[in-house]
């Protein structure tokens, strides 16, 4: 009888048969088998597999005797169903009852900590694991380093990683993913190469993480090498990996290669479509983004909020007001997608850039969200371009409240006053700028040369070839001046006198990275640069001229988008 019921329970668990499972439960009670530990464990497992955690818990609570398996089953089920709190409190109860626990229990509880970023509990478990001498168990160790890295404690994570004698490929991929999550891309590369040296077989998770690192650093050569590994190992057809490849290529400025991967992909999912549409959008290839948007629907995929965000920002990049409005309405009316603050942000941007400032302001006033600083900032910038003092003052007032330390806001407002020749107000906002602690992110640019990423700060001094780089910048500027290049001083925010301003502009990080690229790259090779801020007007002009006089393609990825410079023009058509 007991055997028969147990077999039935396992069958119900495997096939998630709730009704039959409950009938079995009734028979078990009738047969008086409910106090049998093995049978109860199977009951718990069956209810967990059917997703009825509350009933599983009732069975568990009524058990006269719980073995380790019962605890592990129910803790594991809580984890799988995203109930980290319940899992943690059950573990506390387990310790109160002084029940034995296993490595499996501890790694399970650590998973719950990872889900909650519970660093305090993680440290306690780490101490407990050391006490019970299970800290070098590969499952416990891997779970530990995963929690540490998810809580941004990378030093601890790396310490656990190094201390593990046995490392599984999950251990390696968790550590690589941890570095990437914390934007420590170079450390991720280093670990990846270490894995290659010890002959570790790379799995799709590690390779996708490394592709994200390549995307983060704009390391195209490194990324193409990973692509080669993927082709060799037959991972290419994997949807998950293919989307990472598309993302990597487009973020490294190689939109053609991204599209090649995308076209080559036999089965596409929403993530691949989104990756490609977003790639086109970031590169200012609005038409392609819109065509793909239509094609996606013809192939039976419905766009989601991510897709719409890409198409809307493409419209913003290209100044397409009518299309922008159309998509904004379509997403709700046709696809019933709830618009979030980012979609509204795009709309405000689209309208503001087109000079429809009043309309942009109406959107901010009537939308169902509180406006963010970046929305007011976008409005203020539009007011500056179109010399709208009235709304400019309103936007600035909100910005001063939201970002009291951002000096750039005072500068923008003072430009509007200056355009209106209100010198008193100009002086006033200049004074306010001096009073506020005007902090501005420091500009930084990256360029990858021969598999190494070189980083340049504004006014860089540390790079070993820095003298050569500065003289190259000077040489380029002299050549440009012959072609009527004028330094656009007014676009720079530094509050210093004019001659110093020109010097500072010369030393913007992207100019330095470019000069280094010209020195190091083979003749005619395209120069790819990444920048952490929005490219300034002067550097934009510089790159246009540079593409002409050096006869090179220049690709600059700034905070918002890509600029493809060639033969004196930019793909953004000076609209960014
Ligand atoms: Zn600049
Ligand atoms: Zn541009």
């Amino acid at each position: 009888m007991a055997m028969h019921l147990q077999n039935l329970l396992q069958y119900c668990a495997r096939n998630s048969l709730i009704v039959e499972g409950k009938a079995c439960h009734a028979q078990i009670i009738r047969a008086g088998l409910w106090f049998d530990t093995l049978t109860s464990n199977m009951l718990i497992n069956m209810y967990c597999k059917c997703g009825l955690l509350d009933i599983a818990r009732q069975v568990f609570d009524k058990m006269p005797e719980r073995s380790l398996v019962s605890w592990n089953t129910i803790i594991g089920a809580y984890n799988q169903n995203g109930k980290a709190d319940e899992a943690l409190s059950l573990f506390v109860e387990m310790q109160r009852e002084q029940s034995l626990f296993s490595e499996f229990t501890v790694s399970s509880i650590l998973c719950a900590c990872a889900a909650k970023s519970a660093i305090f509990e993680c440290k306690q478990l780490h101490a407990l694991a050391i006490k019970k001498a299970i800290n070098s168990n590969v499952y416990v160790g891997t779970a530990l380093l995963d929690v540490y890295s998810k809580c941004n404690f990378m030093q601890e994570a790396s310490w656990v990683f190094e201390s593990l004698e046995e490392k599984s490929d999950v251990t390696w991929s968790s550590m690589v993913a941890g570095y990437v999550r914390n934007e420590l891309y170079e450390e991720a590369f280093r670990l990846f190469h270490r894995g290659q040296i010890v002959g570790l077989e790379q799995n799709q998770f590690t390779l996708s993480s490394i592709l994200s690192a390549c995307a983060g650093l704009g390391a195209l050569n490194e990324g193409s090498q990973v692509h080669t590994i993927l082709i060799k190992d037959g991972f290419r057809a994997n949807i998950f990996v293919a989307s990472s490849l598309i993302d990597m290529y487009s973020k490294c400025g190689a939109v053609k290669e991204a599209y090649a991967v995308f076209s080559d992909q036999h089965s596409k999912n929403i993530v691949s479509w989104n990756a490609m549409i977003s790639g086109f959008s970031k590169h200012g290839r609005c038409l392609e983004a819109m065509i793909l948007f239509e094609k996606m629907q013809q192939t039976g995929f419905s766009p989601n909020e991510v897709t719409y965000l890409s198409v809307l920002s493409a419209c913003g990049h290209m100044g397409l007001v009518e299309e922008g409005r159309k998509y904004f309405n379509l997403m709700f009316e046709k696809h019933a997608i709830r618009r979030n603050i980012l979609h509204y942000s795009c709309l405000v941007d689209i309208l503001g850039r087109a000079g429809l400032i009043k309309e942009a302001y109406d959107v901010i006033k009537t939308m169902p969200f509180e406006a963010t600083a970046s929305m007011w900032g976008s409005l203020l910038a539009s007011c500056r371009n179109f010399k709208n003092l009235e709304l400019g003052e309103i936007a600035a007032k909100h910005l001063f409240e939201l970002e009291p330390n951002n000096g750039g806001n005072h500068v923008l407002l003072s430009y509007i006053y200056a355009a209106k020749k209100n010198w008193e107000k100009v002086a006033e906002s200049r004074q306010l700028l001096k009073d506020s602690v005007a902090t501005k992110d420091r500009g930084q640019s990256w360029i990858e040369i021969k598999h190494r990423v070189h980083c340049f700060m504004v006014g860089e001094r540390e790079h070993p070839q820095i003298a050569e780089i500065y003289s190259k910048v000077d040489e380029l500027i002299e050549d440009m001046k012959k072609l009527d290049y004028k330094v656009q001083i007014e676009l720079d925010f530094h509050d210093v006198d004019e001659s110093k301003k020109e010097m500072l502009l010369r030393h913007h990080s992207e100019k330095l990275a470019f000069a280094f690229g010209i020195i190091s790259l083979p003749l005619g090779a395209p120069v790819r640069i990444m920048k952490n801020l929005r490219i300034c007007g002067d550097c934009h002009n510089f790159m246009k001229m540079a593409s002409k006089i050096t006869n090179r393609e220049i690709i600059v990825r700034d905070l918002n988008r890509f600029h493809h410079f060639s033969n004196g023009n930019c793909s953004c058509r000076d609209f960014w």
Side-chain angles (χ1 to χ4, degrees):
M1 177 74 170
M3 266 290 273
H4 171 66
L5 284 172
Q6 284 170 0
N7 285 342
L8 265 178
L9 275 178
Q10 276 175 318
Y11 180 79
C12 295
R14 264 198 306 276
N15 300 294
S16 303
L17 303 171
I18 298 176
V19 180
E20 292 80 353
K22 280 188 175 169
C24 244
H25 190 179
Q27 286 216 34
I28 286 165
I29 296 173
R30 232 172 285 143
L33 282 167
W34 60 272
F35 56 83
D36 175 61
T37 312
L38 184 63
T39 312
S40 294
N41 282 345
M42 286 180 170
L43 258 178
I44 293 172
N45 179 45
M46 186 273 292
Y47 280 123
C48 288
K49 291 270 156 69
C50 295
L52 299 173
L53 261 63
D54 290 341
I55 309 185
R57 182 62 191 261
Q58 283 167 22
V59 176
F60 176 82
D61 286 340
K62 285 201 185 103
M63 282 173 79
E65 206 178 306
R66 299 161 183 166
S67 69
L68 187 58
V69 181
S70 347
W71 289 97
N72 281 349
T73 309
I74 200 144
I75 288 175
Y78 277 141
N79 260 342
Q80 269 162 21
N81 290 282
K83 299 193 168 192
D85 284 321
E86 281 86 346
L88 282 173
S89 69
L90 206 62
F91 185 66
V92 175
E93 198 176 311
M94 193 172 179
Q95 284 188 294
R96 208 178 291 133
E97 288 190 11
Q98 296 191 319
S99 301
L100 283 177
F101 57 84
S102 65
E103 287 95 338
F104 181 80
T105 328
V106 175
S107 50
S108 226
I109 291 298
L110 281 167
C111 284
C113 293
K116 287 188 48 166
S117 298
I119 187 66
F120 177 71
E121 286 82 353
C122 165
K123 285 187 170 169
Q124 280 188 313
L125 280 160
H126 193 177
L128 187 71
I130 293 174
K131 208 169 104 192
K132 302 275 178 193
I134 52 169
N135 57 317
S136 52
N137 172 284
V138 63
Y139 296 106
V140 175
T142 304
L144 262 176
L145 73 86
D146 192 46
V147 190
Y148 278 128
S149 82
K150 281 186 178 140
C151 299
N152 313 326
F153 282 70
M154 282 318 287
Q155 218 171 353
E156 282 80 353
S158 128
W159 185 77
V160 172
F161 178 83
E162 298 303 341
S163 73
L164 285 176
E165 261 171 47
E166 188 201 340
K167 300 177 178 77
S168 69
D169 58 344
V170 182
T171 320
W172 284 87
S173 57
S174 305
M175 195 63 207
V176 172
Y179 279 133
V180 173
R181 197 181 304 116
N182 287 277
E183 295 181 12
L184 297 166
Y185 302 129
E186 293 182 16
E187 279 83 349
F189 282 140
R190 233 171 275 143
L191 195 65
F192 175 67
H193 293 312
R194 233 176 93 189
Q196 283 181 316
I197 291 166
V198 299
L200 186 80
E201 241 185 77
Q202 306 295 356
N203 56 32
Q204 53 159 326
F205 300 106
T206 315
L207 291 167
S208 303
S209 294
I210 283 297
L211 286 173
S212 307
C214 296
L217 280 178
L220 181 61
N221 294 332
E222 191 83 30
S224 320
Q225 280 200 335
V226 176
H227 192 178
T228 316
I229 301 177
L230 289 168
I231 293 172
K232 211 177 74 207
D233 293 354
F235 275 126
R236 201 175 45 130
N238 181 313
I239 289 190
F240 181 59
V241 169
S243 306
S244 310
L245 265 177
I246 297 169
D247 193 53
M248 180 279 291
Y249 276 124
S250 74
K251 285 194 177 142
C252 289
V255 71
K256 232 186 267 163
E257 285 80 353
Y259 191 64
V261 175
F262 177 77
S263 318
D264 202 27
Q265 203 184 350
H266 288 299
S267 56
K268 299 178 174 65
N269 65 359
I270 181 90
V271 183
S272 12
W273 284 98
N274 281 349
M276 197 59 237
I277 293 174
S278 144
F280 277 138
S281 159
K282 284 210 177 73
H283 286 271
R285 311 260 295 251
C286 193
L287 190 64
E288 278 99 332
M290 293 197 286
I291 291 172
L292 222 54
F293 179 79
E294 295 303 327
K295 225 171 156 182
M296 160 185 190
Q297 294 175 69
Q298 286 161 12
T299 17
F301 285 96
S302 279
N304 63 13
E305 67 269 21
V306 183
T307 330
Y308 270 108
L309 198 59
S310 297
V311 216
L312 284 171
S313 67
C315 295
H317 287 328
M318 300 309 283
L320 303 173
V321 183
E322 279 323 305
E323 283 81 356
R325 276 205 195 106
K326 186 187 88 185
Y327 288 122
F328 189 80
N329 293 330
L330 208 62
M331 74 180 286
F332 185 70
E333 284 160 14
K334 186 172 171 197
H335 292 109
I337 300 169
R338 199 186 294 187
R339 292 175 285 221
N340 66 34
I341 189 135
L342 297 173
H343 300 112
Y344 278 94
S345 239
C346 280
L347 185 64
V348 168
D349 211 44
I350 293 170
L351 296 169
R353 277 161 188 260
L356 301 167
I357 299 172
K358 172 79 177 48
E359 206 179 316
Y361 179 55
D362 286 340
V363 171
I364 292 184
K365 275 198 306 190
T366 53
M367 66 180 184
F369 304 97
E370 278 290 310
T372 58
S374 76
M375 269 175 164
W376 290 119
S378 153
L379 191 72
L380 179 59
S382 307
C383 289
R384 187 227 155 164
N385 285 344
F386 294 95
K387 302 188 176 53
N388 186 327
L389 182 59
E390 186 198 345
L391 290 177
E393 277 182 326
I394 294 176
K397 206 178 116 246
H398 286 278
L399 275 169
F400 296 154
E401 269 169 37
L402 291 166
E403 301 181 321
N405 294 329
N406 186 339
N409 298 331
H410 292 286
V411 179
L412 273 178
L413 186 61
S414 77
Y415 284 146
I416 307 180
Y417 287 134
K420 294 273 172 187
K421 303 209 168 19
N422 189 339
W423 304 115
E424 208 176 301
K425 284 278 191 183
V426 172
E428 193 181 300
S429 45
R430 286 275 159 185
Q431 189 54 47
L432 281 168
L433 169 67
K434 279 186 191 139
D435 296 344
S436 76
V437 195
T439 49
K440 209 171 151 251
D441 270 348
R442 287 193 74 191
Q444 229 173 323
S445 296
W446 297 266
I447 184 167
E448 186 198 29
I449 307 277
K450 293 195 191 95
H451 300 292
R452 246 199 81 196
V453 176
H454 296 255
C455 175
F456 294 89
M457 304 289 287
V458 50
E460 177 72 38
R461 293 265 166 262
E462 303 297 321
H463 194 277
Q465 278 163 273
I466 199 68
E468 205 185 329
I469 292 167
Y470 277 120
S471 63
K472 190 78 200 175
V473 173
D474 289 343
E475 189 191 310
L476 284 164
I477 289 181
E478 287 317 309
D479 286 349
M480 287 175 194
K481 279 189 174 161
K482 285 177 207 146
L483 290 170
D484 208 28
Y485 162 78
K486 283 188 194 68
V487 178
Q488 293 190 16
I489 291 173
E490 55 114 13
L491 293 173
D492 190 52
F493 283 179
H494 292 92
D495 201 36
V496 284
D497 69 62
E498 303 294 301
S499 62
K500 269 196 194 147
K501 262 183 197 167
E502 192 184 326
M503 280 324 281
L504 274 171
L505 279 172
R506 275 180 186 232
H507 302 165
H508 274 187
S509 56
E510 55 268 57
K511 292 196 183 89
L512 302 177
F514 174 74
F516 182 57
I518 291 290
I519 296 170
S520 325
L521 289 165
L523 209 67
V527 184
R528 294 188 160 82
I529 299 166
M530 303 229 324
K531 155 127 189 141
N532 65 336
L533 306 173
R534 186 176 165 275
I535 186 170
C536 83
D538 182 58
C539 290
H540 197 266
N541 258 349
F542 174 94
M543 295 298 171
K544 284 204 293 192
M545 299 288 257
S547 70
K548 194 166 184 174
I549 59 174
T550 63
N551 207 4
R552 296 211 191 214
E553 201 187 331
I554 307 169
I555 298 126
V556 177
R557 162 177 154 193
D558 74 0
L559 187 64
N560 303 321
R561 59 167 300 144
F562 281 92
H563 301 265
H564 288 253
F565 300 91
S566 79
N567 198 26
N569 295 309
C570 180
S571 61
C572 75
R573 293 192 249 154
D574 301 331
F575 199 93
W576 81 98

